[in-house]
Amino acid sequence: MMHPAVESIANTTDKWVGKVETEDWPIYIDTLLLLIFGGIPWQVYFQRVLSAKSPARAQALSYIAALGCVVMAIPPAIIGAVAASTDWNATEYTGTHPIPAKDASLVLPLVLQYLTPVWVSFIGLGAVSAAVMSSSDSSILGASSMFARNIYKTLIRQNASEREVLMVMRFAIFGVGAMATIMGVTIESIYGLWFLCADLVYVMLFPQLLAVIYLDFTNTYGSLFAYIVGLVLRIGGGEPLLGLTPFIYYPMYDYELKAQRFPFRTLSMLVTLSATVLMSALMKVLFEREILQRKYDIFRCVVNIPEDTVRIGSEIGEMSVMNPKITKTYDATADEGLVLMNGGKMNPALEVRDISLGDINTINRSAVLPPPYDSINADDSDALPPKYDD
């Protein structure tokens, strides 16, 4: 802002302060809801939440991050105002003046390169590059681990060892990285791709997150059906930044500009949530009233539910034990239906109701381990294996 080629942004509000037309309000409201709720079901967010030491700290982190998003939106706005208030002919910039709309994504590097000292430009561009690379490797690692756990381990090889899953994840990193590189080279607008991704998260994942947390009766059938419905509704609205032409023309469609003015993203999200609830309730009724036989519950989430497996960690690996004293059907709200992983440790932020980690260990020891010899009566000694002296 102190550069001689930059005019005071207070005197150039006509260049960088816009106006929202009446017919554009639905679009802005739709985008506002997209940014608010569509930013919740992101893997990078839950990485931070699930790594918190306690639920209270996770909540505080979320609230502080919400305020941080508002604060961090101020510097980009100031940089844009500075770029609009700059006489680029008085700088070493040799491109088109004013900067065309298609090059709006270059405003930050242009401001850093031509309006700041060399050392500021070096540090600023380095910080941006580091942030981009950090987000990229986090996304690649997250996608690879989800493929190894949720697809390979769950669907392809249920008996795969931890070592095998780890090797699959390492190979998946190369595959995901290669696909990301190809997409970055061939797609013209990375911003458009990110925007479409945010749309899909808002339309398809946010309703399912609500259902998982607050609606206990929802199941895989409703989730899969709603996933397909949401995808069709969102892709049907088109995406100009990626050249996707719409095949669903929502109300208020502008045929002249070929743009959707109706808040179809929010509508698609609400339809997805409704589809999750209705299909889950329907399948629950069909199976529980035996209108459909138990064997047709192929996802094993309504009546054909496997017994709970209690995992006990040790230094040499992970052992699964089935015990009748604590075996029960899966129930997301049940206190005893716990699965201990990661060497028997549980993140306190993922505690189920009011059961503490000490209570869980007590349950496991009393249910799985044999009682000590000193506490066994003579009549019960035959139930134990023979005791050998050292």
Side-chain angles (χ1 to χ4, degrees):
M1 297 177 67
M2 304 302 295
H3 194 279
V6 179
E7 188 178 354
S8 174
I9 60 175
N11 300 329
T12 59
T13 54
D14 58 313
K15 295 182 180 180
W16 58 273
V17 175
K19 179 183 178 181
V20 180
E21 301 295 338
T22 303
E23 61 270 17
D24 293 332
W25 272 109
I27 302 176
Y28 277 84
I29 294 175
D30 196 24
T31 306
L32 176 64
L33 296 175
L34 162 67
L35 295 176
I36 294 175
F37 298 108
I40 297 177
W42 282 83
Q43 180 257 349
V44 290
Y45 167 68
F46 279 96
Q47 271 186 332
R48 277 67 180 178
V49 169
L50 298 180
S51 63
K53 293 183 178 180
S54 66
R57 185 169 296 186
Q59 290 176 343
L61 175 67
S62 300
Y63 293 137
I64 294 174
L67 296 176
C69 289
V70 177
V71 174
M72 294 306 296
I74 297 176
I78 295 177
I79 292 175
V82 169
S85 306
T86 300
D87 181 8
W88 291 99
N89 293 326
T91 66
E92 297 179 359
Y93 175 68
T94 57
T96 305
H97 178 69
I99 300 175
K102 64 182 183 64
D103 294 333
S105 59
L106 301 176
V107 167
L108 176 59
L110 289 177
V111 169
L112 291 176
Q113 181 176 357
Y114 295 109
L115 303 181
T116 61
V118 176
W119 65 271
V120 174
S121 175
F122 179 80
I123 295 176
L125 293 177
V128 172
S129 301
V132 170
M133 289 187 290
S134 174
S135 300
S136 299
D137 63 32
S138 176
S139 299
I140 291 175
L141 180 61
S144 303
S145 61
M146 285 189 288
F147 169 80
R149 291 284 180 184
N150 298 349
I151 298 179
Y152 184 81
K153 173 78 172 177
T154 304
L155 301 178
I156 300 177
R157 277 182 56 84
Q158 290 84 359
N159 297 326
S161 64
E162 288 297 313
R163 182 179 180 87
E164 182 179 348
V165 172
L166 182 61
M167 292 301 298
V168 171
M169 183 181 69
R170 290 174 176 173
F171 282 108
I173 290 175
F174 288 98
V176 173
M179 289 189 293
T181 302
I182 294 174
M183 292 173 64
V185 172
T186 56
I187 295 180
E188 296 181 359
S189 175
I190 301 299
Y191 171 78
L193 186 64
W194 179 90
F195 200 80
L196 179 60
C197 180
D199 278 3
L200 296 178
V201 169
Y202 175 55
V203 171
M204 298 191 302
L205 295 188
F206 176 68
Q208 299 197 26
L209 179 64
L210 287 179
V212 167
I213 295 178
Y214 298 107
L215 303 174
D216 296 336
F217 65 89
T218 53
N219 50 55
T220 308
Y221 301 100
S223 175
L224 180 60
F225 175 73
Y227 189 92
I228 297 174
V229 170
L231 180 63
V232 172
L233 292 177
R234 176 58 191 93
I235 299 299
E239 181 52 60
L241 293 174
L242 296 179
L244 298 177
T245 56
F247 57 85
I248 299 178
Y249 298 95
Y250 293 94
M252 302 168 53
Y253 181 78
D254 192 331
Y255 288 92
E256 182 178 351
L257 299 177
K258 298 181 179 180
Q260 303 277 6
R261 295 193 177 277
F262 186 79
F264 71 99
R265 298 176 182 87
T266 300
L267 174 65
S268 302
M269 184 273 292
L270 295 175
V271 172
T272 301
L273 179 60
S274 302
T276 303
V277 173
L278 294 177
M279 181 58 69
S280 297
L282 174 62
M283 298 305 295
K284 184 178 177 65
V285 169
L286 292 178
F287 281 117
E288 290 184 348
R289 295 186 179 180
E290 298 183 353
I291 299 175
L292 290 179
Q293 298 181 16
R294 180 189 183 97
K295 64 180 180 180
Y296 293 122
D297 184 10
I298 57 176
F299 292 131
R300 307 181 73 181
C301 60
V302 181
V303 292
N304 190 22
I305 304 176
E307 293 181 327
D308 232 338
T309 300
V310 178
R311 297 186 179 275
I312 301 177
S314 63
E315 294 182 357
I316 59 176
E318 188 176 73
M319 177 176 62
S320 298
V321 177
M322 296 301 297
N323 191 286
K325 294 184 180 180
I326 56 175
T327 297
K328 62 179 295 172
T329 56
Y330 277 101
D331 184 355
T333 64
D335 292 343
E336 299 90 338
L338 303 175
V339 180
L340 300 185
M341 302 182 68
N342 191 22
K345 299 177 182 178
M346 175 176 285
N347 190 329
L350 301 179
E351 284 187 19
V352 180
R353 291 189 178 177
D354 296 326
I355 288 187
S356 64
L357 189 59
D359 296 333
I360 295 172
N361 292 333
T362 302
I363 292 173
N364 291 334
R365 284 196 296 270
S366 63
V368 177
L369 301 179
Y373 277 87
D374 297 340
S375 64
I376 300 299
N377 298 327
D379 297 337
D380 299 330
S381 60
D382 294 338
L384 291 174
K387 180 179 180 181
Y388 297 97
D389 296 330
D390 294 336

